Amino acid sequence: MAIFQPEKECMDREQLKKLQLERLQATVKRCYDNVAVFRERMNEKGLTPDDVKSLADLAKLPFTTKQDLRDYYPYELFAAPMKDIVRIQASSGTTGRQIVAGYTRNDLDMWADAMARQLAATGADENSVVQVSYGYGLFTGGLGAHGGAERIGATVIPTSSGNTERQIRLMIELGTTHLCCTPSYAMYLGETINEMGLKDQLKLKAGIFGAEPWTEDMRMAIQESLGLVAHDVYGLTEIMGPGVSYECDKQNGMHVNEDMFIPEIIDPDTGEVLPEGAFGELVFTTITKEGMPLIRYRTRDLCTLNYEQCACGRTFVRMLKPAGRTDDMLIIRGVNVFPSQIEEVLLKVSGDEITPNYQIIVDRVNNTDTLDVNVEMSEKMLSDDVRSVKAIEDKIVNQLRSTLGIGAKVHLVNPKTIVRSEGKAKRVIDNRKLH
Amino acid sequence: MIIKQISVFVENGVGGISEITKILSDNNINIRSAYVADTAEFGILRLIVTDTKKAEKVLGDSGIAVKETDVIAVEMSDTPGGLGGILDVLSDNGVNIEYLYAFVGKGESGALMVFKADDAQKAETVLENSGIVDINATSVYDSLK
């Protein structure tokens, strides 16, 4: 498979470290000069940008968390003047409010390179037809993959998500060779295509599937049903979007774009940096970003970094598929969902002072994630009029949709029917078994 | 007269209502009237029982959501226009009826009508003043025993 930027992707690691240090120093200075919160935290620790003399000094710097993105919403973590910010993307935060990321022209340029590297690693080039079935909009998936596909000069079909019949028709009529979407949607497309008996009309060669957890079994099923090679991709809005790391044709871990991001693995409890190869929380420092550079951003994803040289020739470290999270965030149909968001809606709608007992049940039915919320009735919610109870149920459904950005099925149940263990209700049941 | 109706939340599923009737019978509470309003997902069972307070307690203790509502029960004259006369009096006086249902009482005519009015107190006064029904008929009390 072609390598899009071998001068970066296959860089000698000693040279890479030099480049990383230069870029890290520049980024720390940029944040120190432009982001008041960061400067205060550095000052508290008695640090200035001059204290970053080696890559090891990174461990001295303060962490950034998702809470920070909420607290300093929307622009306080931006390190570039608004006149230089050309794009905003967003993702859900731990409560109703979204978190945003701002990109300068250079940031979008780097992002396109990062996704172009991913696409090239799947064999895509200027002769390819790339169908982007990730959602376009505030979600980084659609525009992220789009930018990379344009960068390699492929023909892009920006179908966005949904309307499966049209997706399949265009895929066949326009001869799509590369597909970008969530793995669960790829499963669904595959099944539908096989049911319609259209598999032999496909020209698919490879797919890039990310934004939600998936298993090796799903990879096998997708490869079989769509007749392509399925690649994993990793990213998060806070750091950039899809393309923070990407899987090559060896399908054995995702190469982190280390000329743009420095990964660390830390102990999630102590914050200590763990030795090479250890399992722990993944932390990223962006070293090229201008709009919203983040120093030591705690992803809450748990994984391992593999520094062994990959057979593909790339020298970038590989991160293994995240095997869990340190917080209670769920990824449902590619969307980040926190139980606290659901709790907030229930508190508001119930009209009570305490949140009604609830249980979140996540499952995967016909390859699509389902979200069910059981809510215990309280006296306050009950009425002799069935319509007013139904109205409460509808209100919960509508508010969940607008808060989470995805639909949920709501079931009202009798008090004390949600099973409690040791007096505390188990809030989340995830039946998908993804890890 | 104003009487207490209890509304009970029932999840759809086999045995939902029988669970409730069993709790009541186990506690020696007699159901005088039962009416279910339902959606695809759940139902609200409206009950008039012989001992409202006790019913609320035993159902609540069993983890069932219960709500008490004031409704008006009147004995109907068993003649054409009996119900219409009552409704006319209420609407002429600006009382809105949210729902109504009948049940078999122990009085002479046999039929008791239950109304849920937007203002139960006002409905009672209006009916009492109209003289169209005997709002304090002992037959109503008897029917609830």
Side-chain angles (χ1 to χ4, degrees), chain A residues 149-212:
Chain A
E150 282 192 345
R151 176 60 47 94
I152 59 166
T155 306
V156 192
I157 314 173
T159 49
S160 194
S161 52
N163 199 341
T164 303
E165 209 176 296
R166 190 183 63 181
Q167 298 270 6
I168 295 171
R169 199 178 64 237
L170 289 172
M171 194 178 292
I172 289 169
E173 291 174 359
L174 303 180
T176 300
T177 57
H178 291 74
L179 173 66
C180 304
C181 64
T182 60
S184 54
Y185 193 57
M187 289 280 283
Y188 182 69
L189 280 172
E191 279 189 3
T192 311
I193 285 165
N194 282 283
E195 274 166 22
M196 293 164 85
L198 298 172
K199 189 183 168 186
D200 57 350
Q201 296 186 41
L202 295 177
K203 295 197 171 60
L204 289 171
K205 290 177 182 159
I208 296 164
F209 308 118
E212 64 184 21

Side-chain angles (χ1 to χ4, degrees), chain B residues 6-7 12 18-19 22 27 30 32-33 39 50 55 64 71 77 84 88 98 104-105 108-111 127-128 138 141:
Chain B
I6 55 171
S7 301
N12 272 3
S18 70
E19 184 197 344
K22 183 169 186 315
N27 287 280
N30 193 12
R32 300 296 305 143
S33 155
T39 69
T50 50
I64 290 165
V71 291
S77 65
D88 286 347
E98 290 176 14
V104 180
E108 283 166 27
S109 74
L127 287 173
E128 191 165 15
T138 51
Y141 289 94

Side-chain angles (χ1 to χ4, degrees), chain A residues 104-138:
Chain A
T104 64
R105 212 171 284 282
N106 282 338
D107 292 340
L108 292 183
D109 210 38
M110 297 301 277
W111 189 8
D113 276 347
M115 271 313 283
R117 291 174 187 174
Q118 163 76 90
L119 278 150
T122 72
D125 58 22
E126 65 273 18
N127 298 311
S128 304
V129 179
V130 178
Q131 183 164 339
V132 180
S133 308
Y134 282 119
Y136 279 65
L138 288 171

Side-chain angles (χ1 to χ4, degrees), chain A residues 377-387 389-390 393 410-417, chain B residues 5 7-9 11 37-39 41-42 44 46 60 63-67 69 98-99 116:
Chain A
M377 284 294 294
S378 64
E379 208 168 297
K380 199 136 189 180
M381 288 157 71
L382 185 61
S383 155
D384 58 327
D385 181 8
V386 74
R387 280 166 306 183
V389 179
K390 183 83 183 109
E393 192 185 73
V410 172
H411 312 276
L412 297 175
V413 300
N414 259 314
K416 297 174 197 157
T417 49
Chain B
Q5 166 192 273
S7 301
V8 181
F9 179 77
E11 288 167 56
D38 69 332
T39 69
E41 289 269 309
F42 60 85
I44 305 287
R46 296 175 190 144
I64 290 165
V66 186
K67 182 140 191 151
T69 317
E98 290 176 14
Y99 54 81
K116 165 72 190 298

Side-chain angles (χ1 to χ4, degrees), chain A residues 94-343:
Chain A
T94 46
T95 64
R97 192 153 68 177
Q98 309 201 91
I99 56 119
V100 294
Y103 303 75
T104 64
R105 212 171 284 282
N106 282 338
D107 292 340
L108 292 183
D109 210 38
M110 297 301 277
W111 189 8
D113 276 347
M115 271 313 283
R117 291 174 187 174
Q118 163 76 90
L119 278 150
T122 72
D125 58 22
E126 65 273 18
N127 298 311
S128 304
V129 179
V130 178
Q131 183 164 339
V132 180
S133 308
Y134 282 119
Y136 279 65
L138 288 171
F139 173 59
T140 51
L143 287 163
H146 187 104
E150 282 192 345
R151 176 60 47 94
I152 59 166
T155 306
V156 192
I157 314 173
T159 49
S160 194
S161 52
N163 199 341
T164 303
E165 209 176 296
R166 190 183 63 181
Q167 298 270 6
I168 295 171
R169 199 178 64 237
L170 289 172
M171 194 178 292
I172 289 169
E173 291 174 359
L174 303 180
T176 300
T177 57
H178 291 74
L179 173 66
C180 304
C181 64
T182 60
S184 54
Y185 193 57
M187 289 280 283
Y188 182 69
L189 280 172
E191 279 189 3
T192 311
I193 285 165
N194 282 283
E195 274 166 22
M196 293 164 85
L198 298 172
K199 189 183 168 186
D200 57 350
Q201 296 186 41
L202 295 177
K203 295 197 171 60
L204 289 171
K205 290 177 182 159
I208 296 164
F209 308 118
E212 64 184 21
W214 52 312
T215 60
E216 275 306 306
D217 285 348
M218 280 178 76
R219 191 207 293 268
M220 293 304 149
I222 293 168
Q223 297 194 145
E224 170 61 30
S225 67
L226 288 172
L228 48 64
V229 179
H231 295 253
D232 201 356
V233 61
Y234 175 88
L236 58 171
T237 309
E238 299 91 310
I239 294 302
M240 180 178 75
V244 171
S245 65
Y246 61 103
E247 199 177 59
C248 64
D249 59 326
K250 304 301 171 216
Q251 295 183 316
N252 186 18
M254 293 172 277
H255 292 280
V256 176
N257 277 307
E258 283 185 282
D259 58 329
M260 305 179 193
F261 314 104
I262 302 178
E264 295 171 278
I265 294 289
I266 63 160
D267 178 326
D269 298 321
T270 65
E272 296 283 317
V273 177
L274 296 176
E276 250 181 44
F279 176 75
E281 183 181 338
L282 181 63
V283 171
F284 279 113
T285 297
T286 70
I287 51 172
T288 55
K289 271 178 77 185
E290 301 171 340
M292 194 176 76
L294 294 182
I295 306 293
R296 306 193 82 200
Y297 181 73
R298 296 185 61 161
T299 65
R300 300 282 172 191
D301 279 323
L302 291 165
C303 78
T304 309
L305 293 176
N306 178 3
Y307 284 90
E308 278 171 40
Q309 165 80 47
C310 181
C312 74
R314 289 177 185 80
T315 51
F316 286 164
V317 65
R318 281 169 288 165
M319 60 175 271
L320 302 185
K321 211 183 249 303
R325 290 188 56 84
T326 65
D327 62 8
D328 55 0
M329 187 182 93
L330 296 157
I331 302 178
I332 303 170
R333 298 200 282 273
V335 176
N336 298 351
V337 173
F338 289 91
S340 57
Q341 292 175 285
I342 294 174
E343 193 164 324

